[in-house]
Each structure stands twice: as C-alpha cells, then as structure tokens.
Amino acid sequence: MIDIERLSFHFGLRTLFEETSVMIQDGQKVGLVGPNGCGKSTLFKLIEGKFSPDGGKIEISRGTQIASVAQEIDDPSQTLLNYVLAADKRLTALQKELENPQISGERMAEIFDRLETLGAHSAQARASAILSGLGFMQEDFNRPLKEFSGGWQVRANVASCLYAPSNCLLLDEPTNHLDLETAMWLENYLVRTDKTIFIISHDRHILNRVCDKIIHVEEGQLKLYNGNYDTYERTRALAIEGAKLAAAKHERTVAHLQSFVDRFRYKATKAKQAQSRLKMIEKLGDAPQIPKDPQAHFVFPSPERLHNSLLTLENGVAGYDDKPVLENLDLRIEPDDRIALLGANGNGKSTLAKILSHRLLLLSGKMTLAKKMKVAYFSQHQTEELDVEQTPYEMLSAKMPLATETQIRAQLGAFGLNKEKSDTLIGNLSGGEKSRLLLALITKDAPHLLILDEPTNHLDLESRQALIEALNNYEGAVVLITHDLHVIELTCDTLWMVRHGTCKTFSGDLEDYKAQLLKNNDRNDLASDKETSKERQRREAAQRRARVAPLKKEIRALDEKMTKLSARKKALEEELVVQYSSASSIELALIADELSKAEDQWMSLNEQVENALAE
C-alpha cells in the first residue's frame, strides 16, 4: 500500500503539490494522468525517496518491493542477459558468495536451499522470456549493452524492471520507445500480473486495458477516479458539467441578493434586510471552480486537389548499400487514403516511409508520382536536428521567406505554438512542443501526403486527441507508423503489413491483428498464414474496394465539374436578370444541358459503386 498524506512539494516558486492525499491499495492498477509538467514523474521520485516532500508524508506498507525503470545503464559493457539477471540482487549476492573458496559446507547448503526457494533454476528462462517479449532475439542475449541503440537500451531497462523481484511497479511512459507489437506484449503482461501497478502513460489504449483506477493531477491536487481512462473521462465530464451548473446557480443567487441590496441599502425601512443579504452573499463565498483541461489543437493546411493516384510502386526494391530490406513492393496511394504500417521494429517500416517520402531511393523498380504532389515527412529524430539557438518564429521565417509575420504566426498557432512559445528558444521547449514545431515546419506548403513516423511520442493525451481530430479533418492522404492503437483505430482504414521482407495489404482489421499478436509468440511471423473465413471476407471486401476505386475517381471529377457548371449557370442567370443577351442565353442552355448529363452520369456511377460493394 502507498499512502500519500497531505503531500506538498515545490520547485522554486512553482507549486506541484499542495496538501494533497490519496491511497493506492495493494493489487490496484492505477494510471496517473495530467498535462505535461504537472508533476507526474516528480511524484514517482517522491515515492521512491529520490526527492523529499516539503510537507506531508508518503508511507509505504511493510513488505512492499518497488521496481521502476532505470534512466541509464551504469555498466554498458555487460551483456544484455547478465544485466537483466543482475536486477535480482538477492540471487546475485548468493551466487557471488558461492564463489568464495573458503565457504563452509553448512553455509553452502543454506545458500543452495535459498537459491531453490528464490527460483534460481528458472531465473535465466524467466529473464529470456521477458527479453523475447520485448523484441530481443536469442542472439542478442550475449551482446554487450553498448552495442544497442538508445531505444533498445530503454527496452533493456524495462526488461530489468519487469524481472526484478517486486510486488509494485512504477512505470513512467514504458511504451514510448516500443513498437506496436512490443507495446501490446507489455500491455498483456501488465493485465496478467497480480502486482500493484502505478503507470504514467499518454497511451489511452493501455490506460483502458490495464488500469482499474485513474489519478488525475490538477492544480496541485491528486484526485482518484474509479475505472479505466474512458470511465474517468466520462466521470470528469459529468463533474465539469455539474460545476458549471452550480457556478451558474451561484451567480444567479448572488445577482438576486445584490439587486435587493442595491435597491434598498439606503432606505431606512429596508436597511436591515439589505445588510442581512450582504451577509448572505459573503457566506456564499466564491463561485464553485470549474475544472479546466488544457486545450490543444492542430490544423493541417488543405492541399490542392489532385485527381490521379498520388504514388504508385511497381516491383520496388528498397535497402541500403545495395542490400535489400524490402522487395516486391507493389503499392498505390490514393489522394484520400488513411494507411497504418504494421510490423515489428526492424522489419522495414521506417525504410518504407523513407522510400515513400523520397528520402531513400529504390535499389530497383519503378515509382510513379502525381504531378505537383508535395510530401511531408515526420520522424521523431528530426527534433534533434532543430537549431536550439533559434526561436520557432525565426526558424519558420527562414523556411517561408515570402510570408508575412501574420502568416508565419498563423502556421505556428495552428499547432498550438502561441506568440510566447514562438519567441522562446527551441532549446527551452519541451519534447511535445518540439514535435508541434516540426509538424508546423513540414506542413507549411500544404502537402498532399503526410508520412508520420511515431508522431505521438512526447505528446500528452490532449495533444494526441487534437492530432486525431486534425488527421480526420485533413484533406490529403496519410501514412502512419505508431504504437498508439487508439490513434490507428480512429484515423486509419487501411492496414499495410511490413514483414518477411515486403509490404502487403493486411486482409483483416485491427482487431484481427491484435488477436494474432496475442496468440502468436513468433514476433517475425505475427500474422497467420491460414486465412480464416472472416479474413477471406475482408480480403474480398478489399478487392471490391480496389475495383470501385476508378469509379470513385470519376465521381470526384464529376463533383468538381458540376460545382463549376453550377457556379457558371448561376452567374449567367444573374446576368440575364440585369440585361438580356442572346449569347448568354444560348450559353445558359448549353450549360444546363451539360449539367443535366453530368448529374445523370454521377447517379449512374454511384449506383455502380453501391452494387459493386454489395456483391
């Protein structure tokens, strides 16, 4: 049990917590949410004893063993497996004692009994299972940690935390450096464990599936809600609505009492009553405070409409230094596609994204692009290339030399960077603010195709929701790589599977993919090769959609044609009302006839589409 009682903590003049209390019972799975910078990670450090409270106390019940994810690796020369095994300090100490040549037989027997009790015989198997679940291959186990990238070292730290003997886990954004497949494995692991879990996450899906309580950090207070994140959101919305009604009622009551006071304060016969009402107003106090969540928004500029396929790949081969990573790439992107790339890290998703965004050339094959097409590419590592000595306004001004200050600030404002943030040095911006700046930079020319590689890293829940809304309102095509299932579910309708050295359309939906991930332990063969009846139906539906694509293209062209004809028809009719002209009258008749034919053709094409999809 973790009992937080009247906790206060300050950073300089800034108050993070002020006399707030909450209790986490053994076995509960609690999500900690709130805007970036509200003190979530600081609370974890207070629980671990790394920081000391300014007031109040945090009591942890006897027998509670807390494990958390380390921020760095002390000795990167040790092997991956040994690093994880070393997290069980009890076993490590006992095994080291056995190496003492002068150990007595009696002590040796005690140690062997203790090792048996602690499960030493299964330690390596347990550590290996966790490492495999987090995406490491068997051949990685004996590699030194210094050979792994930063992201994979973070995974090693997560593995160490999960393996360490504990009955309480403190997890601060554990999925941030994981791919979708590994994040789902971790999510399933946390669902099955009987440990107490306290997790900070901006991943709505994991908060919904894992947590039975949510603690919201707001204005220095910790407020506990029952249920998962969706339940918390509904409960909070009702509370906000109730607070609004109470505030309105308070305002009406005060206004009514004040009205009486204003009318009769100086009338002798009513002065006593007026004073009584003044006391009532004082007693009522301030209006109930209405909770306010931080507002986040994104707006992607609308591109010029293109009528052909944006991009077509035929028999493409992609790779590095003449070594293929992906082959047999036969793919097409239409102007309104919403595509999610699925597949474990290392299978080639980012390679494909670079090909589609022209950052990497094909080794062989053909890529056809629509004329005038513009592509925007987002990758988290690009934030590291921003000039930290410039402000967002200065950086965007250099990229938009012909734009006015109003236009530049409007583009930054479309991604939540107000004047204050726009004039702040980039080096002083948070990770989420740098991501917003990068989105503003890459979309300044109104691209037709957005390619986003893990855009949600460093974005809080409100910003992720704003990104979802912006993507759904965006009029171009999207190719998305993300470990956030909630974002995929609400924005993408086409799934591409990157595996076995190629990329193919996935025949099922996201639920099918999730089911296969949980069922199949082979991370490099995540989708079953046996086609179920449901999958066959979905494959046939995908084929039907492909057949009607040309018809839909004609329908879009007719839509634009009819819009132009209708506008010209209206203009001619207005001209003829003012002044009759035989030329205008003839043109009006021709346009009316052409418009009628276009409408008939539009109706016929839509009927063909409906019939084809109903087959």
Side-chain angles (χ1 to χ4, degrees):
M1 181 181 71
I2 301 173
D3 186 7
I4 299 171
E5 187 177 340
R6 299 179 67 82
L7 173 69
S8 294
F9 186 78
H10 308 83
F11 263 138
L13 298 176
R14 186 179 169 209
T15 299
L16 289 182
F17 304 107
E18 188 65 49
E19 293 197 359
T20 185
S21 302
V22 75
M23 184 182 293
I24 299 170
Q25 301 287 355
D26 292 341
Q28 288 183 340
K29 298 179 179 180
V30 182
L32 184 62
V33 302
N36 286 340
C38 69
K40 300 188 295 293
S41 297
T42 300
L43 181 60
F44 273 19
K45 289 182 172 66
L46 286 162
I47 291 172
E48 292 182 273
K50 295 177 180 177
F51 291 165
S52 298
D54 296 327
K57 59 184 178 179
I58 298 176
E59 291 190 345
I60 299 172
S61 60
R62 183 178 297 178
T64 300
Q65 290 179 285
I66 294 177
S68 61
V69 180
Q71 298 301 307
E72 55 186 34
I73 295 170
D74 293 332
D75 181 12
S77 65
Q78 60 188 314
T79 66
L80 172 64
L81 182 58
N82 285 341
Y83 173 67
V84 174
L85 290 170
D88 191 337
K89 293 180 171 52
R90 305 165 307 173
L91 288 180
T92 303
L94 290 169
Q95 288 163 344
K96 187 172 182 179
E97 191 176 348
L98 280 176
E99 297 172 4
N100 183 357
Q102 304 197 354
I103 189 172
S104 68
E106 184 180 354
R107 178 55 183 159
M108 187 178 293
E110 290 175 359
I111 290 175
F112 279 124
D113 284 343
R114 183 63 178 151
L115 289 172
E116 180 69 22
T117 302
L118 294 176
H121 63 285
S122 64
Q124 190 160 323
R126 286 184 282 116
S128 298
I130 291 171
L131 286 169
S132 296
L134 289 170
F136 292 99
M137 299 295 115
Q138 187 76 33
E139 53 268 28
D140 293 328
F141 293 178
N142 293 316
R143 289 174 56 197
L145 287 163
K146 62 185 177 184
E147 292 184 5
F148 293 96
S149 68
W152 285 95
Q153 288 185 5
V154 171
R155 292 191 191 210
N157 285 334
V158 173
S160 177
C161 171
L162 298 182
Y163 172 76
S166 67
N167 51 21
C168 178
L169 297 176
L170 298 185
L171 302 173
D172 190 347
E173 291 289 355
T175 61
N176 245 11
H177 293 274
L178 305 183
D179 55 25
L180 173 60
E181 291 67 28
T182 309
M184 287 191 62
W185 177 88
L186 176 61
E187 176 187 302
N188 205 45
Y189 178 95
L190 298 177
V191 167
R192 293 197 312 266
T193 188
D194 58 0
K195 296 180 180 182
T196 303
I197 295 173
F198 202 5
I199 181 172
I200 299 170
S201 180
H202 294 140
D203 187 329
R204 187 188 189 108
H205 192 273
I206 201 169
L207 291 172
N208 272 332
R209 186 149 185 261
V210 173
C211 298
D212 52 33
K213 306 280 183 184
I214 297 292
I215 293 176
H216 182 225
V217 185
E218 180 180 28
E219 296 184 353
Q221 297 297 303
L222 300 169
K223 185 166 183 182
L224 180 68
Y225 293 80
N226 291 320
N228 62 12
Y229 187 82
D230 281 350
T231 304
Y232 146 78
E233 198 171 49
R234 289 193 296 271
T235 305
R236 180 169 166 76
L238 288 172
I240 291 173
E241 191 58 36
K244 288 179 179 177
L245 292 173
K249 182 180 178 182
H250 179 280
E251 187 178 342
R252 289 195 301 271
T253 303
V254 170
H256 176 70
L257 293 170
Q258 188 65 48
S259 174
F260 183 92
V261 171
D262 292 343
R263 286 168 58 201
F264 300 114
R265 173 182 282 178
Y266 302 109
K267 192 171 183 181
T269 57
K270 298 286 186 180
K272 200 170 192 180
Q273 293 176 354
Q275 286 299 317
S276 174
R277 281 162 173 74
L278 278 173
K279 289 179 181 177
M280 289 174 66
I281 291 173
E282 187 178 346
K283 192 174 180 181
L284 283 171
D286 295 332
Q289 200 168 16
I290 300 171
K292 290 183 180 180
D293 289 326
Q295 297 297 311
H297 73 282
F298 299 121
V299 180
F300 294 115
S302 297
E304 176 190 354
R305 189 73 187 177
L306 300 179
H307 304 298
N308 298 322
S309 298
L310 296 181
L311 182 151
T312 304
L313 270 175
E314 298 174 76
N315 199 28
V317 177
Y320 306 90
D321 300 325
D322 294 327
K323 293 179 182 178
V325 173
L326 298 170
E327 300 180 285
N328 302 317
L329 296 173
D330 293 295
L331 305 167
R332 182 188 302 271
I333 299 177
E334 299 296 335
D336 54 359
D337 275 345
R338 295 288 191 276
I339 301 163
L341 299 189
L342 306 179
N345 275 5
N347 281 7
K349 298 192 299 294
S350 293
T351 298
L352 180 58
K354 289 174 184 175
I355 288 291
L356 298 177
S357 61
H358 324 317
R359 278 162 175 72
L360 184 66
L361 297 177
L362 288 171
L363 297 178
S364 64
K366 181 182 179 183
M367 178 189 286
T368 305
L369 306 175
K371 290 182 180 179
K372 298 183 179 179
M373 186 187 77
K374 290 177 279 191
V375 181
Y377 172 75
F378 176 100
S379 179
Q380 194 60 52
H381 73 82
Q382 291 174 303
T383 59
E384 300 168 8
E385 300 169 5
L386 297 171
D387 185 349
V388 296
E389 298 299 323
Q390 283 191 306
T391 66
Y393 178 80
E394 290 168 345
M395 192 163 194
L396 190 57
S397 296
K399 301 285 185 183
M400 302 173 66
L402 301 180
T404 64
E405 179 178 350
T406 301
Q407 290 171 325
I408 293 166
R409 293 203 182 276
Q411 175 67 4
L412 291 166
F415 294 91
L417 294 170
N418 58 23
K419 188 176 187 305
E420 180 186 354
K421 292 296 182 183
S422 298
D423 294 333
T424 300
L425 287 178
I426 293 171
N428 294 331
L429 296 178
S430 68
E433 289 162 348
K434 289 176 183 176
S435 293
R436 292 164 178 264
L437 171 58
L438 190 55
L439 288 169
L441 288 167
I442 66 171
T443 60
K444 62 183 176 58
D445 296 323
H448 302 89
L449 173 60
L450 275 178
I451 300 174
L452 306 176
D453 191 346
E454 293 293 356
T456 62
N457 283 354
H458 304 298
L459 294 184
D460 58 23
L461 282 156
E462 289 76 19
S463 296
R464 292 187 186 203
Q465 187 60 39
L467 178 64
I468 289 169
E469 293 172 7
L471 289 175
N472 287 334
N473 291 328
Y474 173 57
E475 296 178 3
V478 176
V479 175
L480 179 66
I481 302 171
T482 181
H483 63 268
D484 192 323
L485 281 168
H486 184 67
V487 175
I488 295 176
E489 287 170 336
L490 293 187
T491 59
C492 297
D493 50 27
T494 301
L495 305 177
W496 284 2
M497 171 65 76
V498 182
R499 66 180 181 119
H500 297 331
T502 191
C503 177
K504 302 289 183 185
T505 299
F506 184 69
S507 56
D509 60 15
L510 199 55
E511 289 302 317
D512 295 323
Y513 183 61
K514 283 156 49 176
Q516 289 181 9
L517 284 176
L518 296 176
K519 182 174 70 174
N520 196 333
N521 291 325
D522 182 357
R523 299 181 54 81
N524 290 318
D525 190 15
L526 293 170
S528 170
D529 291 326
K530 295 180 180 178
E531 188 177 54
T532 65
S533 60
K534 184 179 179 182
E535 288 169 339
R536 183 170 60 256
Q537 291 170 5
R538 295 190 182 282
R539 175 176 55 78
E540 291 169 353
Q543 291 172 344
R544 287 196 294 271
R545 289 196 297 272
R547 286 199 297 272
V548 302
L551 298 176
K552 286 187 173 181
K553 181 179 174 184
E554 289 185 55
I555 289 171
R556 287 196 295 268
L558 280 170
D559 277 331
E560 292 202 2
K561 181 180 179 181
M562 289 189 295
T563 299
K564 291 177 181 177
L565 288 172
S566 296
R568 181 57 183 157
K569 180 171 177 285
K570 183 180 178 181
L572 287 168
E573 287 170 343
E574 290 173 352
E575 286 178 18
L576 288 169
V577 168
V578 176
Q579 182 177 1
Y580 178 80
S581 163
S582 59
S584 296
S585 179
I586 293 169
E587 185 183 355
L588 178 61
L590 292 172
I591 284 177
D593 183 57
E594 190 175 357
L595 184 58
S596 176
K597 290 177 181 177
E599 288 171 345
D600 289 342
Q601 188 180 359
W602 186 91
M603 291 290 292
S604 175
L605 287 171
N606 272 283
E607 189 174 344
Q608 291 177 51
V609 169
E610 290 176 9
N611 292 337
L613 292 175
E615 289 177 2

